[in-house]
């Protein structure tokens, strides 16, 4: 698929644009081998959600924004898919919060880390955002995890009190929660382990959440109590209800 497929007049423009961004990122060596599989799973859930921000997801995004604004040391963790799909938006959110971002990938190789750091640093310069981009020289380890995915910055992920982790893997999410951090998850699958482990889970598409956060954070919402199981159940109810409606008859 080439650039022409991402024509704004196409009814599936957003979806095609996201696929195109992944293709471009893959060419630059930024993505994990399974990035497209992960994206396809997300797309399937998005279809079932009606490719929209459902009300409970918007409430979750408000709850997440409030926690990011109130945090002492907020941070945004970025992986390959996130940088590809919403790298610019994530840098804008970090600039609003005056917090760092940290590249923290599941399938870590020096080549991928370099490609991701180069891309994000280029974006940050281009947009003149002055965001601290961590990940190059991890000097800490997330307790309870083994191997390269445990690596992180002591002054970044290790020191944070609130962390935004879009598309996180379940184990790492659990490890971060065990460290006492508030973990704000973005995941289209309300049944995923990360979705269930998170302190606040936004069951919504990453780039839609990112734009909602950019709109909500400047309003500085107050932190209110959040029951994550209620949020997850309403996302699941939405999916089940939409499938139960008479669609074809
Ligand atoms: O860059 P790396 O090495 O850190 O690897 C990143 C991926 C995403 C490949 C890796 O973390 C992975 O394999 O993830 P999983 O376990 O497949 O989980 C991805 C989750 O994200 C699934 O539950 C998908 O439904 C969800 N998802 C995929 N695309 C989106 C999404 N959620 C929100 N927005 C999306 N665009």
């Amino acid at each position: 698929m080439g650039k022409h497929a991402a024509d704004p007049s196409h009814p599936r423009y957003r979806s095609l644009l996201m696929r195109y961004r992944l293709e471009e990122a893959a060419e630059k060596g930024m993505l994990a081998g399974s990035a497209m599989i992960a994206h396809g799973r997300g797309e399937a859930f998005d279809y079932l959600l009606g490719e929209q921000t459902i009300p409970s997801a918007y409430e979750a995004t408000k709850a997440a924004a409030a926690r990011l604004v109130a945090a002492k040391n907020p941070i945004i963790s970025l992986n390959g898919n996130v940088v590809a799909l919403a790298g610019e938006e994530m840098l804008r959110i970090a600039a609003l919060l005056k917090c760092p971002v940290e590249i923290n990938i599941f399938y870590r190789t020096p080549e991928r880390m370099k490609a991701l750091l180069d891309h994000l640093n280029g974006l940050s310069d281009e947009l003149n955002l002055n965001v601290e981009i961590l990940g190059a020289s991890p000097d800490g380890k997330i307790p309870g995890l083994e191997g390269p995915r445990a690596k992180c910055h002591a002054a970044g992920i290790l020191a944070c009190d609130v962390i935004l982790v879009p598309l996180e893997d379940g184990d790492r999410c659990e490890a971060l929660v065990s460290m006492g951090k508030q973990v704000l998850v973005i995941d289209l699958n309300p049944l995923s382990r990360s979705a269930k482990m998170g302190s606040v889970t936004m069951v919504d598409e990453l780039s839609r959440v990112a734009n909602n956060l950019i709109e909500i954070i400047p309003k500085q919402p107050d932190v209110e109590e959040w029951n994550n199981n209620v949020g997850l159940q309403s996302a699941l109810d939405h999916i089940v209800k939409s499938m139960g409606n008479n669609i074809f008859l």
Side-chain angles (χ1 to χ4, degrees):
M1 187 186 29
K3 267 190 178 127
H4 301 296
D7 169 351
S9 68
H10 194 284
R12 302 207 48 73
Y13 170 66
R14 287 282 313 163
S15 169
L16 292 172
L17 179 66
M18 292 300 142
R19 287 182 176 194
Y20 178 65
R21 285 187 183 169
L22 286 175
E23 279 183 48
E24 269 192 325
E27 275 168 26
K28 291 185 187 160
M30 286 160 46
L31 297 188
S34 58
M36 304 295 185
I37 299 170
H39 186 74
R41 182 191 290 169
E43 277 192 342
F45 277 100
D46 206 15
Y47 231 96
L48 297 173
L49 287 165
E51 295 177 315
Q52 59 180 324
T53 299
I54 61 171
S56 60
Y58 193 77
E59 288 308 308
T61 308
K62 265 201 327 213
R67 282 155 178 78
L68 286 166
V69 168
K72 278 205 188 92
N73 292 312
I75 196 162
I76 304 176
S77 174
L78 301 177
N79 66 23
N81 286 46
V82 178
V83 172
L85 295 173
E88 176 176 334
E89 291 84 346
M90 289 294 151
L91 288 177
R92 288 192 189 282
I93 294 167
L96 286 172
L97 294 166
K98 299 185 177 49
C99 79
V101 300
E102 181 166 337
I103 300 180
N104 195 262
I105 57 179
F106 189 80
Y107 302 103
R108 184 185 274 265
T109 65
E111 295 77 17
R112 281 193 65 210
M113 286 301 294
K114 183 178 178 331
L116 287 164
L117 284 161
D118 286 353
H119 179 78
L120 265 192
N121 281 311
L123 259 182
S124 180
D125 288 348
E126 199 181 303
L127 302 167
N128 211 4
L129 286 176
N130 209 13
V131 170
E132 188 181 6
I133 298 169
L134 302 173
S137 44
D139 52 354
K141 191 177 171 299
I142 301 172
L145 288 182
E146 290 309 318
R149 70 199 170 114
K151 285 186 179 181
C152 67
H153 277 245
I157 287 183
L158 221 49
C160 77
D161 54 345
V162 178
I163 180 165
L164 176 64
V165 284
L167 281 59
E168 183 55 298
D169 112 85
D171 267 9
R172 202 158 46 187
C173 185
E174 188 171 0
L176 292 167
V177 171
S178 303
M179 290 173 80
K181 300 182 188 304
Q182 291 201 59
V183 182
L184 314 173
V185 172
I186 303 172
D187 195 326
L188 278 159
N189 176 5
L191 297 166
S192 79
R193 279 192 56 233
S194 322
K196 291 189 211 159
M197 293 300 314
S199 319
V200 177
T201 301
M202 293 152 270
V203 183
D204 197 1
E205 198 276 325
L206 166 69
S207 64
R208 289 199 301 267
V209 174
N211 286 320
N212 286 336
L213 284 172
I214 289 169
E215 174 221 306
I216 297 168
I217 287 170
K219 296 180 187 160
Q220 309 217 318
D222 290 331
V223 176
E224 283 168 20
E225 215 175 301
W226 177 256
N227 184 329
N228 209 41
N229 285 335
V230 170
L232 292 176
Q233 187 61 51
S234 51
L236 206 54
D237 287 348
H238 183 95
I239 290 174
V240 171
K241 211 170 138 213
S242 69
M243 288 201 287
N245 286 343
N246 279 342
I247 294 172
F248 298 112
L249 296 175

